[in-house]
Amino acid sequence: MAEPQFTRVPFWRDVRVLTILTQVIFVVVVALVAAFLYANVSTAMRQRGLVNDFSFLSLEAGFEIGEALIPYTATDTYGQALWAGFSNTLLVSVVGIILSTIIGVVVGVARLSSNWIVSRLAAIYIELIRNTPLLVQLFFIYFGVFLTLPSVGQTLEFPGFIYANQRGVFLPRPVPTSTSETWAWFVVVAIILALALGYLSTRPQARRLGWVAALVLILLPAFGWLIAGEPLAFEIPVRERFNFKGGMNLSPEFSALLAGLVLYTAGFIAEVVRAGILAVRRGQIEAAYSLGLNGGQVLRMIIFPQALRVIVPPLTSQYLNLAKNSSLAIAIGFPDLFSIATTSANQTGQPVPVYLLVMATYLAMSLFTSLLMNIYNRSVQVLEK
Amino acid sequence: MKNLVLVSVLVLVALIVVACTSAPAPSAPQVVKETVIVQATAAPAVATKPAAPPAATAAPAPVALGARFAAVKARGKVVCGSNDQVPGFGFLDKATGQFTGFDVDYCKALAVAVFGDAKAIEFRPVNAAQRGPALQTGEIDVLARNTTWTVTRDATWGLFAGVNFYDGQGMMVDAKKNPTVKTLKDLKDASVCVQTGTTTELNLSDRFREEAVAFKPVVFDTADATFAAYEGGRCDAVTTDISGLVARRSLLKSPADHKILEVVMSKEPLGPAVPLGDAQWYNVAKWTLFALINAEELGVTSKNVDEMLQSKNPDVQRLLGVTGDLHKGLGLEKDWVVKVIKAVGNYGEIYDRHLGPSTPLKLDRGINKLWNKGGILYAPPFR
C-alpha cells in the first residue's frame, strides 16, 4: 500500500492564509482612504480659516434659550447651551417614546379588531399618518392647532389653577419644602415594597399579593404626606401683562413637537404591533379560546408574550426614528439640540466641530437606546420554538 | 475560494481607483494660495478648474485672474446667495418667478460688470443659518442678503465688500393689542419672535440684559415662520433689522396695526460678501458697489449715461472709462461702469426702485444719503 503523498499547499493557495491576508489588506486600504480623506478635509478647512477644535465650547454664548430643563442664561457658555438643548431633546424623546408606544399598541390592536368601525378608523389613521411628511404634519399641528388656541386675553381656565391659551398650558408647579425629604423616603420605601410584592405575586397561589402591592403603593405615600405635614408647596401661574408667570409651562412648541412626533411614530408602531400579533400562530389562539379564555385574557397571556419577539426589533428602530426626528424642532421654534447647534455653528463660524458634536450626541443617544432595547429583546426571545 | 480572491482583488482595485481620482483635490487649494500671493501665473489656476465653454466676452482679460474670478468667468454666470422672503431687499415673486430687490439689483450689477449681461446670474436662496456655510465653502460667489458686517464674519465667513445699507435693529409690536408699549422696558416678560443664526438674536439678549429686563425668546429658522408666529399672536413682539421689519410689515394682513418702536438696538451695516481667498474677485465686488455710489454722487443715471460719456468732468470721465485704464487692474472691460449704470441705474435709482416713496416700504434714506447730502454713504474715488 502506498503512503498518501502529503504535499504542503503553497501559501498563495492556502485558504487560511488567504482569508487573513485579504482582511489585513482590506483594513489597510480602508485606513489609507480614511487618512487621505481626513487630510483633505483638514487642508481645506485650514485654507478657509475654519478651525477644527472645540475651544468655542468655553466661549460666552450670548443668546437666550426659550425653555430648557437645566438653568441657562445668555452669559453661560456654548457648552452649557448645547447641554440645555440636549436636555430638551431628551425630554421630548423620552416622553415621546412612552406616549407613542401606548398609542401605537392601542391603535395596532384596534386595527385587528373584529368591530368594523374600529378597525376602519384605525386604518384611516395609520394610512394618513404614514403617507404624509412629518414636517408638514408638524407645521399643521403647530400653526393650525396650537397657535389657534385663544390668545392670552381670552385664556381658558380650568379648575385647579390650570390655564390654556396659545402661549401654552400653565399648571401649578410643585416646589419642595423642608418636609419633602421625609415624604420622599416614604415614597421610595413604598415603591420598593410594591415591586417586591409584585414580583412575589407572580408565584402561583399568591395572586392576591398583587392587590396588596397596589394598596401599599397608594396608602404608604398618603400616610407619609399626613405625617410630613406639607411636603410640597404649589406655585400657581399668575397672569401678568403679556404672559403668565410662574408655575409649569408647556409651551406650544413643545406640545406641538410632542404631539406631532407621537402621532407620527404611533402610526408606524401600530403597524409593527399588528405584524407581531399576526405572526402568532393561529393554533395558539384557537387553543386559547377553546380553553375558555376571553378575548382580553387571550391577548394578554397568549398573544402578546409571543408577539413581543417579533415586535421588539422594529420597535427599536421606531424609537430611534423618534429621537432623530425630534431634530425637526427647529422648524417650529422648539430649542432642541439641533436648533441650538445651528445657532452656535452660525455664531462661532465653525460648523464642522459643532455638527460633529451633534452627530456624536445623537449617535450616543441612539446606541444607548438600542442597547437597552436589545437587553429587553434578549429577555423576550425564546431559545427554541 | 477563487471567488473570494477575485472579489477581494476587485475591491482593492476599486479603492485604489477612488483614492487616485480624488488626489487632484488637495492640489487645487494650493494653487489658489499661489495665485493670490504671486498674482502672476494664471495658467495652472485656470487649467485645474473644470472645463466649461468660456463666456462670450469680447476680449480676454489683460490681467491674470484669481481662482474664483476665473471660475466665475468659465462658468458664465455669477452664483448669488440671496434672500427670497424679504420684500424690497430679496424677494421671490411667486407670480412671475423672478427675484427682485435692493440686494438682487446689486447681484445684477455684478453680473453686468463681469459679463455685460444682467441675466448671467444663478440665484441661490439661503436662510440665515445656511448663508454662513454657503459662503465658507464657496458654494456661492457672492452673498447679497442683508447680512451684517461683523469681525467674526470677516474672519470666518468671507470678506465684506463694503456697506450698501446702514441699518439698525428694531422691535415691532402690535399697537392694537399693546398700545402702551414704547420702550424695551415695557416688554418685561414678553415673548419675542426672532430668527436663528443672526446678530439679531445676540443683540436682543444683550439689550435686554442691559435693561435688566427678562423676556422669552421664540426662535425659528426662517423669516416666514418667525413672522407667521408673530402674526398668529404667539409673540408680543418681533425683532430684526428695521428695514426688514418695514419690509415684512407690508406683507402682514393689517400693516397699520403694527408699530415699530422708536428704539435702535444696534448698528447693522449690511453689505455684500464674497468668499475668502481671491483678492481679485473681492476687488470686483467692492468696486461694483463703489461705482454705483460714485455714479449717484456724480449725477450719472441710467437715463443720462450716454450724454455723460461726453462730459468734460474728469471724475465722470474716469468713472465711465472714457479716460484712464482703471478697469485693467480689476480685470473688467473698459466700459463696465457704463453697462452697469445702464442696466440697473445708480445707487439712488436702485434705492428708489425698491425702497423709495413709490414703493409700499417708503423707507426714508436716513443715514443712507450721500455723505455730502447729510448721510454717511461714502465711496472711495475712482482714480
Side-chain angles (χ1 to χ4, degrees), chain A residues 47 62 167 241 253 343 346 349, chain B residues 29 129 136 180 196 205 233-234 236:
Chain A
Q47 228 96 57
R167 301 279 171 91
R241 183 176 186 180
E253 287 81 40
T343 309
N346 237 273
Chain B
Q136 276 170 324
T180 54
T196 187
S205 66
R234 173 68 183 87
D236 306 294

Side-chain angles (χ1 to χ4, degrees), chain A residues 294-327:
Chain A
N294 66 30
Q297 287 169 322
V298 171
L299 197 62
R300 195 165 37 91
M301 293 192 284
I302 308 293
I303 294 184
F304 244 80
Q306 297 183 62
L308 270 179
R309 284 174 230 154
V310 177
I311 289 176
V312 172
L315 193 65
T316 312
S317 317
Q318 292 310 322
Y319 288 170
L320 298 181
N321 280 345
L322 189 145
K324 288 178 291 173
N325 282 337
S326 70
S327 62

Side-chain angles (χ1 to χ4, degrees), chain B residues 109-345:
Chain B
L110 195 56
V112 172
V114 178
F115 298 112
D117 176 14
K119 295 215 185 354
I121 312 182
E122 180 188 321
F123 286 104
R124 293 246 179 104
V126 284
N127 70 20
Q130 296 164 336
R131 58 191 166 163
L135 200 56
Q136 276 170 324
T137 53
E139 194 187 317
I140 49 181
D141 297 318
V142 63
L143 176 71
R145 194 208 172 275
N146 45 284
T147 306
T148 311
W149 186 354
T150 69
V151 61
T152 315
R153 291 175 180 180
D154 246 353
T156 55
W157 286 12
L159 302 167
F160 277 80
V163 178
N164 69 351
F165 195 92
Y166 292 92
D167 206 355
Q169 183 175 333
M171 189 78 83
M172 180 159 76
V173 297
D174 190 333
K176 242 171 59 175
K177 285 193 208 147
N178 302 305
T180 54
V181 171
K182 295 257 180 314
T183 66
L184 291 185
K185 271 207 159 57
D186 298 332
L187 285 170
K188 185 171 187 312
D189 294 323
S191 305
V192 181
C193 279
V194 66
Q195 205 182 341
T196 187
T198 53
T199 48
T200 316
E201 238 182 318
L202 303 173
N203 293 328
L204 179 66
S205 66
D206 283 347
R207 291 289 90 75
F208 272 90
R209 220 180 327 147
E210 257 172 39
E211 310 260 350
V213 165
F215 73 104
K216 285 177 162 300
V218 187
V219 179
F220 297 88
D221 62 341
T222 60
D224 278 345
T226 313
F227 282 86
Y230 166 72
E231 201 173 2
R234 173 68 183 87
C235 323
D236 306 294
V238 65
T239 178
T240 179
D241 300 337
I242 294 178
S243 59
L245 287 175
V246 173
R248 293 291 313 205
R249 182 172 60 175
S250 64
L251 291 177
L252 297 174
K253 258 191 294 268
S254 42
D257 285 344
H258 300 272
K259 178 176 73 159
I260 298 179
L261 300 182
E262 302 270 316
V263 171
V264 179
M265 293 162 70
S266 69
K267 293 190 286 197
E268 302 288 326
L270 310 177
V274 295
L276 295 167
D278 186 351
Q280 197 129 26
W281 182 238
Y282 177 43
N283 279 336
V284 171
K286 254 195 300 193
W287 285 95
T288 306
L289 177 60
F290 295 151
L292 296 172
I293 300 174
N294 276 316
E296 190 191 0
E297 206 177 308
L298 295 169
V300 182
T301 70
S302 55
K303 309 234 176 356
N304 69 6
V305 70
D306 288 321
E307 296 129 46
M308 282 301 208
L309 280 169
Q310 321 299 332
S311 161
K312 296 278 178 281
N313 183 339
D315 291 324
V316 174
Q317 288 176 336
R318 270 193 303 270
L319 175 72
L320 299 180
V322 174
T323 59
D325 57 355
L326 302 170
H327 64 283
K328 281 218 188 102
L330 296 175
L332 299 172
E333 302 293 299
K334 192 172 169 62
D335 58 349
W336 68 277
V337 180
V338 176
K339 289 203 197 120
V340 166
I341 305 295
K342 249 197 218 155
V344 297

Side-chain angles (χ1 to χ4, degrees), chain A residues 12-15 18-19 22 25-26 29-30 33 36-37 40 43-44 47-50 60-67 74-75 78 139 142-143 147 151-152 166-168 240-245 249 251-253 329-334 339 342-343 345-351 355, chain B residues 1 4-5 8 11-12 15-16 18-19 22-23 25-26 29-30 33 128-133 136-138 152-153 155-157 177-178 180-181 186-191 196-199 201-203 205-206 209 215-221 224-225 228-229 232-236 276:
Chain A
W12 69 82
R13 272 195 286 151
D14 188 353
V15 179
L18 277 176
T19 32
T22 324
I25 294 179
F26 184 70
V29 169
V30 166
V33 170
F36 162 76
L37 289 174
N40 194 15
T43 319
Q47 228 96 57
R48 286 165 175 74
L50 296 176
E60 181 187 286
F63 55 88
E64 288 284 352
I65 296 180
E67 52 181 313
T75 44
Y78 280 108
F139 276 133
Y142 181 64
F143 286 105
L147 285 194
S151 63
V152 184
Q166 73 180 164
R167 301 279 171 91
E240 302 222 323
R241 183 176 186 180
F242 295 109
N243 288 314
F244 280 83
K245 202 157 176 213
N249 172 18
S251 68
E253 287 81 40
I330 192 174
I332 58 171
F334 181 67
S339 167
T342 313
T343 309
N346 237 273
Q347 305 294 10
T348 55
Q350 293 170 35
Y355 287 127
Chain B
M1 224 283 290
L4 178 65
V5 176
S8 37
V11 164
L12 273 173
L15 284 171
I16 292 171
V18 162
S22 22
Q30 288 155 12
K33 258 176 118 171
Q130 296 164 336
R131 58 191 166 163
Q136 276 170 324
T137 53
T152 315
R153 291 175 180 180
T156 55
W157 286 12
K177 285 193 208 147
N178 302 305
T180 54
V181 171
D186 298 332
L187 285 170
K188 185 171 187 312
D189 294 323
S191 305
T196 187
T198 53
T199 48
E201 238 182 318
L202 303 173
N203 293 328
S205 66
D206 283 347
R209 220 180 327 147
F215 73 104
K216 285 177 162 300
V218 187
V219 179
F220 297 88
D221 62 341
D224 278 345
R234 173 68 183 87
C235 323
D236 306 294
L276 295 167

